[in-house]
Amino acid sequence: VLSAVGKNTAKMTKTPYTAAIIGCGKIAGIKDWPRGNGPINTHAQAYFRHPKFRLVAVCDIDAKRSSAFSKVWQIESAFNNVIQLLDHVSPDVISICSPNKHHLQHLELLLQAETPPKVIFVEKPICNSPDELNFLDGFLIENPVHLLVNHTRRFDPKHQDLAAMIQQKMFGGMVMGHCYYYGGWKNNGAHLIDTLRMF
């Protein structure tokens, strides 16, 4: 782990982009560790591997968890809430990996910050009702922040190639399909629906 961290730190000294993570659960990277190969399944791993990003802060209401997370990922600062984080750092990109019920609250805090991030990468669902989405939409009209929901399959070249082949009817018409997912409808089930819409 230490050699991987050392290599990554040296590689990222010229990076212009700083990042932070809100919430220290599984998708954030609590059960992951810095490594140079293998799949990228967490936000921390993605920031760690990308040469143009440096993960500078993390926050979680559980102080022990945020402290442990920051030690594993060699992060400079660990905080217990979003306001505290925003008072001390102004990252270019912030990932929201908190529980679903807190997404809207955290988005509001980030959008109203004196120095909001340039990009907010939020886990799905972005919020929990059409009313919340309309409320959020009002904020985004007047705010230059780019908001990206974690539907990463849309950016995967293999998924894009398959979508193009299906749309060109290279396989003929759809006869039948089976889809499997885990982790609940709002979490991983949403990936299925978005991927089907993409295809």
Side-chain angles (χ1 to χ4, degrees):
V1 170
L2 289 176
S3 66
V5 170
K7 286 177 188 174
N8 198 55
T9 303
K11 183 173 65 173
M12 296 198 304
T13 52
K14 295 180 182 177
T15 179
Y17 302 116
T18 55
I21 298 175
I22 297 171
C24 294
K26 280 194 236 175
I27 195 67
I30 192 68
K31 295 193 174 182
D32 202 359
W33 65 94
R35 51 199 158 83
N37 52 35
I40 297 175
N41 295 320
T42 64
H43 289 250
Q45 193 72 249
Y47 289 126
F48 175 79
R49 294 262 195 100
H50 202 292
K52 291 188 178 178
F53 287 89
R54 185 167 57 94
L55 193 51
V56 297
V58 67
C59 84
D60 194 284
I61 56 170
D62 184 331
K64 287 183 180 177
R65 179 179 280 221
S66 61
S67 177
F69 194 102
S70 67
K71 285 177 185 170
V72 169
W73 291 102
Q74 301 293 300
I75 301 169
E76 298 165 14
S77 304
F79 302 102
N80 297 335
N81 62 68
V82 177
I83 294 172
Q84 193 180 54
L85 183 150
L86 293 171
D87 282 344
H88 290 84
V89 294
S90 300
D92 297 304
V93 181
I94 296 183
S95 286
I96 296 180
C97 303
S98 53
N100 296 345
K101 64 183 179 180
H102 298 302
H103 287 182
L104 182 64
Q105 174 196 0
H106 291 156
L107 281 165
E108 280 187 74
L109 288 170
L110 296 181
L111 291 170
Q112 293 174 339
E114 189 174 327
T115 308
K118 296 178 181 71
V119 177
I120 300 172
F121 190 45
V122 61
E123 278 298 325
K124 69 271 164 278
I126 190 170
C127 53
N128 290 297
S129 73
D131 287 340
E132 287 186 359
L133 187 60
N134 290 334
F135 176 73
L136 183 59
D137 213 23
F139 270 107
L140 291 172
I141 289 170
E142 300 177 3
N143 201 303
V145 174
H146 295 282
L147 182 60
L148 182 65
V149 183
N150 187 16
H151 285 301
T152 48
R153 287 151 182 81
R154 285 188 173 268
F155 306 103
D156 174 42
K158 291 180 181 177
H159 279 77
Q160 291 172 351
D161 290 345
L162 180 57
M165 289 188 281
I166 290 171
Q167 288 157 19
Q168 292 164 13
K169 305 209 181 289
M170 291 179 67
F171 309 114
M174 177 83 165
V175 176
M176 182 172 58
H178 291 279
C179 298
Y180 300 92
Y181 67 93
Y182 66 94
W185 173 247
K186 286 184 176 180
N187 293 308
N188 288 331
H191 275 309
L192 267 182
I193 295 301
D194 189 66
T195 302
L196 288 171
R197 291 182 68 197
M198 176 186 179
F199 289 164

